[in-house]
Amino acid sequence: MAGKVKWVTDIEKSVLVNNFEKRGWSQTSTDEDWNFYWMSVQTIRNVFSIENGYRLNDDQIVNHFPNHYELTRKDLMVKNIKRYRRELEREASPLVEKDENGKYVHLDFIPVTFMLPGDYNLFVEEFRKNPTSTWIMKPCGKAQGKGIFLINKLSQIKKWSRDSRTTTFISPAGKEAYVISLYIDNPLLIGGKKFDLRLYVLVTSYRPLKCYMYRLGFCRFCTMKYTPSTSELDNMFVHLTNVSVQKHGGDYNPIHGGKWSVSNLRLYLESTQGKDVTDKLFDDIHWIVVHSLKAVAPVMINDRHCFECYGYDIIIDDKLKPWLIEVNASPSLSSTTANDRILKYNLINDTLNIVVPNGEMPDCKWSRCPPKEALGHYELLYDEELAQNEGVECEGKPRMGPSLNKGNRLKDTRKPFSTWK
Amino acid sequence: MEPDSVQRQLSVTIAHIVQRLRGSKLHSELEREARTCLHKSEVRIESLKEDLKDFLRKSGWEKKLQNAVYRELNVLPHPGHPAAPPEHTKESLMYLRRAQVNWEKRVLKSLNSMCAELGIPLAKKRSADEQKELLNKWNEMGTDEPDLSHFRPVYAPKDFLEVLINLRNPNYDGGDPTGLRSSWGLISIPLPVKDLSELRELFAELALNYEQLGIDDSMQIPVELFESEYIRLGQRVLSEQDSAAAQQYIRQGCPTGLRADMWALILNIDNQLEDSLYYEQLKSNVIQHDLLIDNLIYKDVKLTASNDDYYFVFEDYLYQVLLCFSRDTLVLDHFSYSSASPPKSYIRGKFALEDYTVVYPPNGVIPFHGFAMYVAPLCFLYHEPSKLYQVFREMYVRYFFRLHCISSHSSGIVSLCLVFETLVQTYLPQLFYHLREIGAQPLRISFKWMVRAFSGYLATDQLLLLWDRILGYNTLEILAVLAAAVFAFRAENLMEATSLATAEAVLADLSTLKVMPLLQLFLFATSS
């Protein structure tokens, strides 16, 4: 059916609208026929809900998977990863090798986490093993750093214990549910400040898994010097890197917005720590992304009308080990600085170029095999179909740009070929 | 030159270097090593001298001495006439000497009047409380926000440019009253500078037939072709610990993983315990005394690095380094080969009494707007403050000081301006003429790049590749070549510019430039 691509968006951001308009697409509303809908997470819930959901046509594409929350809700992500590890254990896969302390050698990339109130007793047991440790409480359903606080005493989370002991009714995974994770109190500091990494990952299919990493991620720095001192546990400007939090600090600078490109990070780490350990760090980060996706792949509804661009939040500790903090289904498309705007504009542009090839009418049956030239700033992270067909690792072998690994993955004996199937 | 005078000059040089190294830390270490090795069996009394030399060679001490000698050679001023007065070593052209003296007077006057206006002393001792507070805040001075609104930088690069534009050699008559044959540019003095063929000779290793980092390590090229082997070679150079070899190696660029060590080797910095202790001493000087200069430093960092996408992260290191730098009297050493002299001030009430003069600031360097940007890129390489400090200090006393003094030295800013203008006029005459017509003299735009050695204008990875070559060739002339190359690259757009403002806009953003291809093309692909 010839004609202009018709788009709808729930999110009124210029980086989206400008990209649609530059392709000559025409805006429409939900009442009309549309081809491309950039939805909010509420809308995707409705579209696929049992009561008032509706079937999508072949020429309709949306930007979320129906049950993305399996990855993007903090408690479900942890549950799925734990389940994935157990499955691998049953298969006696070399991936779930453990060290002498019982820690996973290859799959230990989320900090120890418990669901509250459900796992309260388990948490207490773990807490007592290390009574001086700090833990971070995060509400399951919120974003932007809202409702997060740190604790270092059991008394600070008494109310979750009361619920657990006195009620037999397990509250549904609703707004009151929290996860509590071991706080990474030894983050890698640069210039004395804590930072985290925001990376964008595009998934065009879960079975077979096809994912792409955006080269232009960035680091978000706290404005205040990091200190693990207990007197500053309440100071969110020291601990939380969310821009929405840091923006309100007295030292927030709107020119750079506390953001550093990943290529700067790479240059700094290579210069101060050496190329090999830096390459390994970025390898480890890719590993985390791929395995987190593999963990949820079996439970994801692999609807052909869907793709999704996730915002991965990663923290690096002072031993250069990356930790997955969380995955965001709707990474912010607001721009805090000029560079930011350019980055996000390019992100959407490159994403659209992949999922709606050649700017033609969206087709849910598209091949999902974009040629290398069409990737823009994305690069192939993992393509399960290709891996199975070629019988070799196809995880990003050709030389990457400066922000990603240029090393020779095939030499890495830690990850034997069989694990990538 | 006759063999006689070559010989004489050599002995003068040797004597000079011996004098500089005598009494140094290395000297006492060598003596100590020599004494201890007397007990060793391989050192016999009959052949004491040879055995001793052998031992020192095998244990790596000869290499250290070699590196120290090499360092001195790098900063050695041109040997002058034996009968010349000492000012000649600093600067042999009298009119330039005078201009530098006048400039220094102006700067100092500006500083003193700011001091009088604000009623703040140039220096004062901190109270015990203030000292304690500063010590606590030492690692995060960036979060303190004193009121700096009354302070202004003592001068900015463009003020300095005006001075350079007005330089005149009173003895020179170009015989060209209409100015048609002479330079179209702003600099009007006849200093001899290298032309393109001489620059090609100088920068021979940047030629198209040599592989380079910054070109041959790009994404499309497999590592086996150049990069891997080059990295291996670099590791060998580092293990040999030979400054001269490292300086030769780095002409083709330095791999990022090796750069920190390679620069330290070339600059002959070994960061021993004594150096860390010295740094701590400087730090305690800062804690004890408050200098007016400190506010200028603070303001400079806040205006430049704090707003920079690449360097804002390192803001706190910059304060630490620059405050200590201003207290470091070892820096005064470099004035013996610089055309500049340290500014002098007087203890209160003892004006013009020679015995009561003090050098102010203690290191003799009054910072100007953008000074902090000399330090900022180094923060990507060194995260240990004492080492960062030493590398910066050595970079300053070898190179950066020449960018804000009036001298005839080939790496001095005046010569760089001349090289730049001559290159653009000779090889881009149509562009130069057009820019002149629209009131956009090229030097007005490129001056700030050269004064800052391009820091804050190029992307950091590119800047480091550029500074690799400064170290490798021991000259700043490459800055002028790059400036001309940038104009050549953007010539088409510049021809469309209609005013200084639009020309500035075309050249406002250099962050996407790739330095090495630009240099290579301009040097070796420009038809002469």
Side-chain angles (χ1 to χ4, degrees), chain A residues 190-193 215 221 223-225 251 253 255-260 264-265 267-268 270-275 339 399-402 406, chain B residues 139-140 142-143 145 217-219 221-223 227 256-257 260 306-310 312-314 316-317 379-383 460-461 464:
Chain A
I190 299 185
K193 302 192 183 76
R215 271 198 211 111
F221 278 86
T223 50
M224 304 228 64
K225 267 278 183 325
D251 285 311
N253 181 313
I255 296 181
H256 51 70
K259 289 180 179 167
W260 225 32
N264 277 340
L265 175 66
L267 178 62
Y268 175 81
E270 273 188 26
S271 304
T272 52
Q273 311 241 21
K275 192 167 186 321
N339 277 344
R399 281 177 57 129
M400 315 293 191
K406 286 203 279 196
Chain B
N139 289 320
E140 46 186 28
T143 48
E145 278 281 6
D217 54 338
S218 75
M219 283 178 356
I221 302 178
V223 282
E227 208 181 341
T256 45
S306 298
N307 293 327
D308 189 297
D309 287 330
Y310 294 92
F312 73 88
V313 174
F314 304 112
D316 295 325
Y317 289 160
C379 297
F380 267 83
L381 302 177
Y382 306 100
H383 54 187
T460 307
D461 64 319
L464 294 172

Side-chain angles (χ1 to χ4, degrees), chain B residues 344-379:
Chain B
K344 289 203 174 55
S345 189
Y346 300 91
I347 308 256
R348 185 185 298 219
K350 307 262 196 270
F351 187 77
L353 290 175
E354 200 51 48
D355 288 344
Y356 292 91
T357 57
V358 287
V359 169
Y360 184 89
N363 72 340
V365 180
I366 297 181
F368 54 91
H369 177 62
F371 195 85
M373 295 305 278
Y374 289 140
V375 190
L378 302 173
C379 297

